[in-house]
Amino acid sequence: MLTAQPKPTCLRPPEILSGAGKHQKLAGKPATLSGFRPSARRSVIRAVISSGDSKAGVETAADKSVGTDKSLPSSSSSGSINVRAVVTVRKKMKEKLTEKIEDQWESFINGIGRGILIQLVSEDIDPVTKSGKTAESFVRGWLPKLSDNPYVVEYGADLTVPQDFGQPGAILVTNFHDKEFFLMEIVVHGFSKGPVFFRADTWIHSRKDNPESRIIFKNQTYLPSETPAGIKDLRREDLLSLRGNGKGERKLHERVYDYDVYNDLGNPDKGEDVARPVLGTEERPYPRRCRTGRPPTKTDPYTESRIEKPNPVYVPRDETFEEVKQSTFSAGRLKAVLHNLIPLMAAALSSSDIPFTNFSDIDKLYNDGVVLKEEEQTEDTKSRIFPEVLNRIFSVGDKLLKYELPAIVKRDRFAWLRDNEFARQNLAGVNPVNIELLKEFPIVSKLDPAIYGPPESAITKELVAKELNGITVEEAIEEKRLFLLDYHDMLLPFIEKMNALPDRKAYASRTIFYYSETGILRPIVIELSLPPTDSSPRNKFVYTHGHDATTNWIWKLAKAHVCSNDAGVHQLVNHWLKTHASMEPYIIATHRQLSSMHPIYKLLHPHMRYTMEINALARQSLINGGGIIEACFSPGKYAMEISSAAYKSMWRFDVEALPADLIRRGMAVEDPTVPGGVKLVIEDYPYAADGLLIWSAIKELVESYVEHYYSEPNSISSDVELQAWWSEIKNKGHHEKRNEPWWPHLSTQDDLSNILTTMIWTASGQHAAINFGQYPFGGYPPNRPTLMRKLIPQEGDPEYEKFLQNPEYTFLTSLPTQLQATKVMAVQDTLSTHSPDEEYINQLHDIQRLSYNDPEVHKLFERFAVKLEEIERIINQRNKNKNLKNRSGAGVPPYELLLPSSPHGVTGRGIPNSISI
């Protein structure tokens, strides 16, 4: 592992007095960075922006007269080389007038050469300083010429270096402006081997915020042991700066990656009802999040004080949304606000939330939008509640925003009612990762029988046998025809607390499916359980679909309770915990322990984009105490505790790999002759079949990549950065799991390939499969209710007679209210939306296109892109195959969630590189 070393002093460039055209002379010598000193030769540069150069916005170095400061000693008796750096900066797209004026001032300061200082550092050691040779210059340029992109500006800087300078390996950038700027890249022209590229894509902080210069390495990949001597110290120092010291509150301009527990979900200062326990303890284990260092709350020293919307939560500066993404997300949030506001107003004005009472109420959400009564649209109303937003709303008339018709009912509005569709969604829906093979009978709980009663399920062998078309239960198990959706043990410990919440009623559920000889999966038995009590010894209820009217309606209610459990587990466990939360420690460790020059950093970089920012936003308004998830899903205030319990009992890195997960659930068996190395038990399992194609393509790329960079024996075990990275993921990122025996070792090519493939799959294919179908499947409340408000009426209950008189009313009033449903629909719509700047897995990312000067590596990524194009064709062909009934047929939506490409918007397809929404 890397050991902490004393931090060298960073370059502190000369003081400059900001003011209207005024500047001081350079005062004194700059402090040194890791022993680096200002170059022995400094260019005397005049204006470098040429009015006639349309390509770079600067004249070429050969065309400029470059003087030499003769008072400085020459570092080479054989002469010098004049080189030019072209510095590309991106401006804001949307600017206020004051910001535009500031931009013009910054351009002026840059033009006179007092805004940005760059210091070129050689890969070669200076024999005198024992550090990399250096040359420095201020960036200059008068009224910079725009490139083809109106938001991109290019400046130039001329430098003189000795002929024995060698190849540049790093550039130190110091920003003398009062505010940060976004540096896209620096290209240095004039060296004998051609232009040298320094891809940055980073925010450069103002020297007023932090006097240390930023280190930008050239687009070259180096293992730690291969790092050129001249930039070895810089490599170490850059990593130290990213780790921070673990103290103090982080500032928004900083780039410090550190770990913390989930102690920021509650707000006990606001009251006990929004206080939440800390996640990330031995009792409640959880992956780590990014540390912000905010002070504790006044009432609980263990809870971190919260930053509420619209104020931003700290994430390292380069992890924040870019402007296009921010605009899209803001538009999505606005849409959610408008969707939420209308029923919220109606609820406030009528003093009660309104349930759906007939299916027409639901249809109106798509056909008419939500309409307020005439008497509610008064001037008094407008002035009392959110006046600015209301004025905008009322300006569009009575019919306000409408919801798009979700895919699940667009082709067949009654599909959700059918048993085969209920079953199909376990294989091709938004949560196809919980169904498992039923391997033995009876089904037995692992919970403590002293607390939760007899462990045996109430589903008997005789009851199952009635549904098996003449074969025995033993034969069905042997032939792998029985499958199980089991949320019993996960939920039963929380059911009593959940049911004590207002308008929440839930069971722990088990559902058995039968896979027929004709290839149709159908549910045959549902068990719904409550915790046993002395007053109610009967706590397990078993339902079958039946054939009479009463049994049919009760069966619909039982399925709705199963769907509600499925929606909660999907959101809290499979979606949030297993992708978003688990990925964050990988990202933190990658920045802390792998240099941006490291080949594994470059491989993972596209798969980390935006994840920390979207997670911070989720902690702020989705998974927090009183947030959307608690308000609209069955577990309520216990939602994140359930997520923690699931992490404790079932999360393990080695089975997050798709093939391993399928084998664990009994949905596949090992078979090295097929893609992914496993053969599916149900061939027509769209998520798994398409997922294995994506998994195999990722694995093939990763294996070739690892083999390319780690061909030498022991090269993996001797890579100090890589070993520190993996150690930190286990010991800090997943601290409560650090001693588990199932963590993979990291010593061979296979070890590293499997680890990286699992991470990339989690960030790309796995997240896409369980995220972008949220609105297409969940946007119709009866198909996937996120909570239930009533238990199923039993004979003898007062509600039973009402149920017999109007079963539709009982069913609909058991679902979420109109306010709850529209909130969820708005959030699902936002979470299912691809941003216009989305980067998809089948596109060659900038870091892959620009950061490798090795043609062999380029070929690997090109082959990967071609492979994904072929996979897209295969998936489209599968969706037209009439024999694959889970993805084709009358009214059946095709399975497109794992198609690699997508336009932006809510498309129900497309695999982004990263968890970006």
Side-chain angles (χ1 to χ4, degrees), residues 335 338-340 342-344 346 354-371 399-406 409 413 775 778-782 812 815-826 828:
K335 188 174 180 181
L338 293 177
H339 274 122
N340 292 342
I342 311 310
L344 183 61
I354 305 165
F356 295 111
T357 56
N358 56 64
F359 284 98
S360 298
D361 289 342
I362 300 173
D363 293 339
K364 286 177 183 176
L365 295 174
Y366 316 105
N367 300 330
D368 303 328
V370 184
V371 183
K399 291 185 179 179
L400 306 172
L401 289 177
K402 295 192 299 183
Y403 287 92
E404 295 293 327
L405 196 63
V409 290
R413 62 178 298 191
Y775 187 78
Y780 188 70
L812 290 173
L815 302 182
T817 63
Q818 293 191 32
L819 173 58
Q820 290 167 331
T822 51
K823 269 188 179 182
V824 169
M825 290 163 68
Q828 288 174 332

Side-chain angles (χ1 to χ4, degrees), residues 701-776:
L701 167 69
V702 171
E703 286 177 341
S704 301
Y705 188 91
V706 167
E707 184 178 4
H708 181 79
Y709 284 104
Y710 291 97
S711 57
E712 297 298 320
N714 303 319
S715 54
I716 290 177
S717 57
S718 63
D719 185 332
V720 291
E721 288 183 5
L722 192 68
Q723 294 299 325
W725 168 77
W726 184 234
S727 174
E728 192 165 285
I729 285 171
K730 294 183 293 184
N731 294 308
K732 290 188 176 181
H734 290 270
H735 181 71
E736 288 79 44
K737 299 269 188 178
R738 64 193 180 280
N739 296 320
E740 296 287 356
W742 41 254
W743 284 105
H745 296 291
L746 180 53
S747 56
T748 68
Q749 289 185 2
D750 282 346
D751 294 339
L752 180 56
S753 296
N754 289 333
I755 289 167
L756 294 172
T757 303
T758 298
M759 290 179 179
I760 293 172
W761 161 254
T762 299
S764 57
Q766 182 64 29
H767 180 258
I770 58 180
N771 180 72
F772 292 105
Q774 288 194 76
Y775 187 78

Side-chain angles (χ1 to χ4, degrees), residues 458-510:
I459 300 175
T460 64
K461 191 178 294 187
E462 292 73 24
L463 200 58
V464 173
K466 291 179 181 178
E467 307 292 333
L468 298 186
N469 298 335
I471 67 171
T472 66
V473 172
E474 289 78 10
E475 289 171 332
I477 289 175
E478 185 178 346
E479 295 174 14
K480 298 184 178 179
R481 295 196 176 276
L482 291 179
F483 295 86
L484 179 67
L485 188 66
D486 192 348
Y487 298 134
H488 180 277
D489 286 10
M490 188 187 300
L491 295 180
L492 191 61
F494 294 91
I495 292 295
E496 186 174 0
K497 293 189 288 188
M498 288 163 56
N499 287 348
L501 298 171
D503 289 327
R504 303 288 169 99
K505 290 293 181 280
Y507 303 90
S509 61
R510 289 189 180 106

Side-chain angles (χ1 to χ4, degrees), residues 249-535:
E249 183 173 355
R250 299 268 64 92
K251 306 296 189 296
L252 293 178
H253 68 268
E254 293 179 324
R255 297 169 60 251
V256 174
Y257 295 79
D258 204 354
Y259 302 96
D260 208 344
V261 295
Y262 278 69
N263 61 352
D264 63 340
L265 301 180
N267 193 347
D269 289 351
K270 278 192 171 181
E272 184 61 31
D273 59 325
V274 285
R276 296 293 179 269
V278 174
L279 304 185
T281 64
E282 293 300 325
E283 181 185 0
R284 294 186 180 92
Y286 218 63
R288 292 301 186 262
R289 64 167 176 96
C290 179
R291 180 185 177 276
T292 63
R294 295 193 301 269
T297 57
K298 296 175 183 177
T299 52
D300 181 2
Y302 299 105
T303 297
E304 185 175 272
S305 56
R306 286 181 53 77
I307 299 287
E308 302 294 353
K309 292 189 304 181
N311 299 310
V313 176
Y314 169 80
V315 293
R317 184 63 183 97
D318 291 338
E319 303 298 328
T320 56
F321 290 164
E322 293 182 26
E323 205 169 351
V324 172
K325 173 73 170 181
Q326 184 63 54
S327 298
T328 303
F329 193 76
S330 296
R333 278 199 310 223
L334 176 62
K335 188 174 180 181
V337 167
L338 293 177
H339 274 122
N340 292 342
L341 182 60
I342 311 310
L344 183 61
M345 284 174 46
L349 292 169
S350 64
S351 301
S352 64
D353 198 1
I354 305 165
F356 295 111
T357 56
N358 56 64
F359 284 98
S360 298
D361 289 342
I362 300 173
D363 293 339
K364 286 177 183 176
L365 295 174
Y366 316 105
N367 300 330
D368 303 328
V370 184
V371 183
L372 288 178
K373 298 174 184 177
E374 287 293 330
E375 60 268 23
E376 291 172 353
Q377 297 184 27
T378 63
E379 290 302 318
D380 181 57
T381 300
K382 295 184 192 182
S383 64
R384 279 191 296 110
I385 307 177
F386 312 107
E388 291 182 8
V389 181
L390 275 181
N391 287 335
R392 187 182 304 171
I393 294 171
F394 283 115
S395 68
V396 301
D398 290 345
K399 291 185 179 179
L400 306 172
L401 289 177
K402 295 192 299 183
Y403 287 92
E404 295 293 327
L405 196 63
I408 190 59
V409 290
K410 187 175 285 187
R411 295 182 178 215
D412 182 354
R413 62 178 298 191
F414 300 111
W416 66 276
L417 280 166
R418 295 196 300 270
D419 283 357
N420 66 326
E421 178 60 26
F422 171 82
R424 188 189 76 87
Q425 289 182 33
N426 285 276
L427 300 173
V430 70
N431 189 41
V433 296
N434 281 108
I435 189 169
E436 59 186 300
L437 183 70
L438 181 59
K439 298 176 181 177
E440 57 185 9
F441 216 87
I443 304 166
V444 179
S445 169
K446 295 178 182 177
L447 297 175
D448 184 353
I451 301 173
Y452 299 104
E456 293 80 15
S457 166
I459 300 175
T460 64
K461 191 178 294 187
E462 292 73 24
L463 200 58
V464 173
K466 291 179 181 178
E467 307 292 333
L468 298 186
N469 298 335
I471 67 171
T472 66
V473 172
E474 289 78 10
E475 289 171 332
I477 289 175
E478 185 178 346
E479 295 174 14
K480 298 184 178 179
R481 295 196 176 276
L482 291 179
F483 295 86
L484 179 67
L485 188 66
D486 192 348
Y487 298 134
H488 180 277
D489 286 10
M490 188 187 300
L491 295 180
L492 191 61
F494 294 91
I495 292 295
E496 186 174 0
K497 293 189 288 188
M498 288 163 56
N499 287 348
L501 298 171
D503 289 327
R504 303 288 169 99
K505 290 293 181 280
Y507 303 90
S509 61
R510 289 189 180 106
T511 308
I512 294 180
F513 300 88
Y514 174 64
Y515 188 61
S516 71
E517 295 82 352
T518 56
I520 299 298
L521 188 71
R522 60 183 177 88
I524 56 174
V525 184
I526 293 173
E527 178 190 56
L528 302 178
S529 299
L530 297 170
T533 62
D534 294 336
S535 59

Side-chain angles (χ1 to χ4, degrees), residues 128-149:
V128 176
T129 65
K130 307 300 182 185
S131 301
K133 301 172 184 178
T134 64
E136 71 177 35
S137 171
F138 274 95
V139 170
R140 292 178 181 266
W142 194 261
L143 298 178
K145 173 167 290 188
L146 299 178
S147 72
D148 294 337
N149 186 329

